Amino acid sequence: MRAASLALALAALTAPAAPAAAQRTDSVRPEQAPVSLVREVFAYEGGGRDPFMSLLKSGDVRPLISDLKLTTVVYDGRFAARSVAVLRDITNRRIYRVKTGDIIGRLKVTQIRPREVVFTVQEFGFERQETLSLTKQEETP
């Protein structure tokens, strides 16, 4: 007796579902279930350039090493980290005062010596070293 009533209850539950499914085919309606989006977030710190940033971004391209002129070096022989170099951009007359570790565009100041500054240039995932030296002034008698 109990099995028969259970079978009738199941039949009653499944019977109304069939016409509802038939009605859905006539008019397609999205379900009202909540949708949650999960996104991954990446941070590129110190591991090379960010692959999603443009290679031609104007802030990264300028100044070029050929645009800079070394005008002054204030060298501290006891504490080299306190040394300062003054650079001038010959294209727009901008002046940069840099210490070891400072970054200007794609140029990183690696070392400051008594008459020159050594840069690490980062281009397209590769690094190379360039040196800017003070121009020699003629001595006046």
Side-chain angles (χ1 to χ4, degrees):
M1 187 81 158
R2 187 172 179 149
S5 65
L6 213 70
L8 284 173
L10 284 174
L13 287 175
T14 57
Q23 290 174 355
R24 277 194 199 154
T25 57
D26 295 341
S27 62
V28 178
R29 295 174 61 194
E31 301 220 3
Q32 299 297 331
V35 176
S36 64
L37 297 175
V38 179
R39 296 182 183 200
E40 295 183 44
V41 178
F42 297 97
Y44 296 94
E45 298 176 8
R49 72 170 199 86
D50 184 352
F52 299 106
M53 297 298 289
S54 172
L55 293 173
L56 302 175
K57 194 170 114 181
S58 63
D60 289 344
V61 174
R62 293 286 176 187
L64 299 175
I65 194 82
S66 59
D67 296 339
L68 295 176
K69 180 180 180 183
L70 181 63
T71 58
T72 308
V73 174
V74 179
Y75 183 73
D76 189 346
R78 292 175 59 189
F79 300 104
R82 293 193 308 190
S83 299
V84 178
V86 179
L87 306 161
R88 186 179 55 181
D89 189 341
I90 58 175
T91 59
N92 60 9
R93 299 249 187 234
R94 184 169 179 187
I95 295 180
Y96 299 98
R97 290 172 187 85
V98 295
K99 293 183 175 185
T100 303
D102 288 351
I103 297 174
I104 306 171
R106 294 180 300 187
L107 309 172
K108 180 177 181 180
V109 179
T110 307
Q111 188 177 20
I112 297 178
R113 298 179 184 155
R115 296 194 53 81
E116 60 190 12
V117 177
V118 179
F119 292 98
T120 301
V121 182
Q122 299 173 353
E123 290 180 318
F124 306 110
F126 296 102
E127 294 182 351
R128 71 178 197 282
Q129 299 237 326
E130 293 277 339
T131 304
L132 276 181
S133 300
L134 285 171
T135 56
K136 294 190 178 192
Q137 294 181 348
E138 295 181 16
E139 293 183 21
T140 56

